[in-house]
Amino acid sequence: MRCLSTARSVALVGALGLALAACGGGAAAPGGAAAAPPKAAAYAGPVGAGEGKLSVLAWPGYAEDGVANPGADWVTPFEKATGCQVDVKTFATSAEAVQLFSTGEYDVVSASGDASLRLVYGDRVQPVNTALVPNYADVIPDLKDKPWNTVAGTNYGIPHGRGANLLLYNLAANPTPPTSWSGMWDANSPAKGKVSPYDDAIYIADAAVYLMSKQPDLGIKNPYALDQKQFDAAITLLKQQKPLVAEYWGDVVKQGQGLASGAITEGQGWQLTANLANTDAVKVGTTKPAEGATGWSDTWMVKKDTKNINCAYLWLNHVVSPEVNAQIAEFFGEAPANLKSCALTKNKDHCTQYHAQETGFWDNVYYWTTPVANCLDGRTDAKCVAYDDWVKAWSQLRSA
């Protein structure tokens, strides 16, 4: 998942631990109404000299300037090369990202899949002319033209990187590595009282992934495209899980400590969490179970009416360049989007660890996508439960 290198500062780790893609607010289609995206044209170009400034809204670790960590700085070289002075604001959740970007104060944003459609349908971002981003040509094909970055054939951003949401487990409590999510869901699980799910409405999709395998009669094809019957089944499973839960996690450091100590024996989480927990000794394992997993791929998006359009496009091309994308992926702890980045990471095993170019690994990873009323699985004879109702259901589950 949102994975950091173990060399990162505790402060940054803590910020990301509170992060990921929590959700809230919304636009027309994600909120429930079936709607077409706003009509807008992408910048025709050509990309010229920068306007002199760029305001960046990003996940912690995506736009480092060397202040927090002198060894991580890809903002300063960009400023020197383009003359675009960068002002960076970080956010802790997708809800915060949507809220902040909606103020109009920022030119570009790194949006996770549970935020990107809200920005599109909320008329906050503009289509992106990928021809004006030369390094887009080297982006992994698996990340192009996807539901979270493309609507009705129109690209709304540049893919940044990706990760899978893994099953984390305490090695002492699981001498035989688990191959299924069943320990997280079964009412009589040996892990009862020691399970740690992610504390966010988008976690409903994890229940749907499990049901895709265990209850195929439900007909779930996409965990973000759930009609009312399928959605109700996912909520029922989540209610069954609740007595198993030690804590719903929102802090990677705390979750990792629990996994290392054995207070938590199984959890849904990030490779980062295991990396941190295993700093002194290997106590936590990770796996992608047979049923598959949810995952994420972030997208750099451009404000609808930015006055700094040239700086914005220069930035998009910069962050997805082989060298910079490799730095970010290694610093943050994710699979890079650029095919050429793997040859440039300092740790030559980085891309192997994060399955960067293992196409088969991602076949059953379902990337976060904002649920909308128009079913994302292509059904036209059904209405799917939209994101706002996911949030309401999750709030009721957690408060019960």
Side-chain angles (χ1 to χ4, degrees):
M1 304 231 348
R2 321 205 52 93
C3 315
L4 289 171
S5 119
T6 54
R8 305 203 44 188
S9 69
V10 172
L12 182 54
V13 169
L16 272 173
L18 295 173
L20 195 51
C23 313
K39 294 185 181 299
Y43 182 49
V47 177
E51 296 82 1
K53 62 180 180 179
L54 184 72
S55 183
V56 175
L57 184 62
W59 286 107
Y62 275 10
E64 293 297 304
D65 60 4
V67 174
N69 187 326
D73 184 1
W74 39 91
V75 168
T76 303
F78 172 78
E79 292 176 326
K80 291 180 178 178
T82 65
C84 302
Q85 296 303 302
V86 177
D87 179 42
V88 178
K89 169 72 173 178
T90 60
F91 56 84
T93 68
S94 283
E96 185 182 5
V98 171
Q99 180 184 24
L100 288 171
F101 201 73
S102 296
T103 66
E105 297 177 22
Y106 306 95
D107 298 304
V108 296
V109 60
S110 62
S112 290
D114 61 335
S116 54
L117 291 187
R118 282 184 279 165
L119 295 174
V120 170
Y121 285 97
D123 201 17
R124 304 297 185 184
V125 294
Q126 61 180 275
V128 167
N129 185 346
T130 59
L132 301 181
V133 183
N135 287 310
Y136 181 77
D138 295 318
V139 169
I140 294 171
D142 286 352
L143 298 183
K144 294 180 176 180
D145 305 317
K146 299 302 180 182
W148 60 89
N149 58 35
T150 305
V151 179
T154 299
N155 296 116
Y156 278 88
I158 301 298
H160 173 96
R162 59 177 169 175
N165 300 330
L166 304 172
L167 173 60
L168 313 179
Y169 58 94
N170 175 275
L171 292 171
N174 295 274
T176 300
T179 59
S180 169
W181 289 106
S182 60
M184 291 278 292
W185 297 109
D186 289 355
N188 298 315
S189 169
K192 186 173 184 177
K194 296 186 176 184
V195 163
S196 177
Y198 177 49
D199 194 2
D200 190 89
I202 205 68
Y203 184 70
I204 295 170
D206 290 72
V209 168
Y210 189 68
L211 290 172
M212 288 171 68
S213 174
K214 301 303 180 183
Q215 294 186 34
D217 56 301
L218 286 170
I220 299 173
K221 304 300 182 185
N222 180 324
Y224 308 100
L226 306 177
D227 60 35
Q228 194 63 56
K229 180 180 178 181
Q230 295 166 339
F231 185 81
D232 290 345
I235 296 300
T236 296
L237 182 60
L238 286 159
K239 290 178 178 178
Q240 176 178 298
Q241 182 191 59
K242 196 166 184 180
L244 308 180
V245 175
E247 67 172 6
Y248 292 89
W249 74 271
D251 184 323
V252 293
V253 175
K254 184 178 179 182
Q255 188 193 33
Q257 291 170 342
L259 283 158
S261 70
I264 298 170
T265 57
E266 292 192 25
Q268 178 261 38
W270 312 343
Q271 182 66 46
L272 156 68
T273 308
N275 291 350
L276 295 171
N278 293 334
T279 300
D280 297 322
V282 179
K283 297 181 179 179
V284 179
T286 67
T287 187
K288 177 170 68 71
E291 299 92 356
T294 57
W296 50 269
S297 173
D298 295 335
T299 302
W300 283 100
M301 310 182 86
V302 180
K303 185 175 74 170
K304 176 185 176 182
D305 55 356
T306 178
K307 295 180 180 179
N308 301 311
I309 190 66
N310 291 303
C311 281
Y313 269 85
L314 291 168
W315 174 260
L316 264 55
N317 194 53
H318 177 71
V319 293
V320 80
S321 66
E323 299 82 5
V324 175
N325 205 229
Q327 291 179 66
I328 298 174
E330 195 163 17
F331 182 73
F332 190 81
E334 64 184 351
N338 193 306
L339 285 163
K340 296 180 178 179
S341 294
C342 287
L344 302 175
T345 57
K346 293 179 181 179
N347 175 6
K348 297 308 176 184
D349 293 327
H350 176 85
C351 282
T352 299
Q353 181 182 11
Y354 291 96
H355 310 280
Q357 297 180 15
E358 296 176 38
T359 302
F361 176 86
W362 305 97
D363 285 346
N364 61 352
V365 173
Y366 302 90
Y367 300 98
W368 287 335
T369 308
T370 309
V372 294
N374 290 341
C375 297
L376 295 168
D377 58 6
R379 283 180 290 171
T380 58
D381 59 348
K383 180 179 179 180
C384 282
V385 179
Y387 181 72
D388 284 356
D389 288 326
W390 283 48
V391 173
K392 292 175 185 176
W394 183 256
S395 178
Q396 291 171 357
L397 174 83
R398 292 287 284 112
S399 61

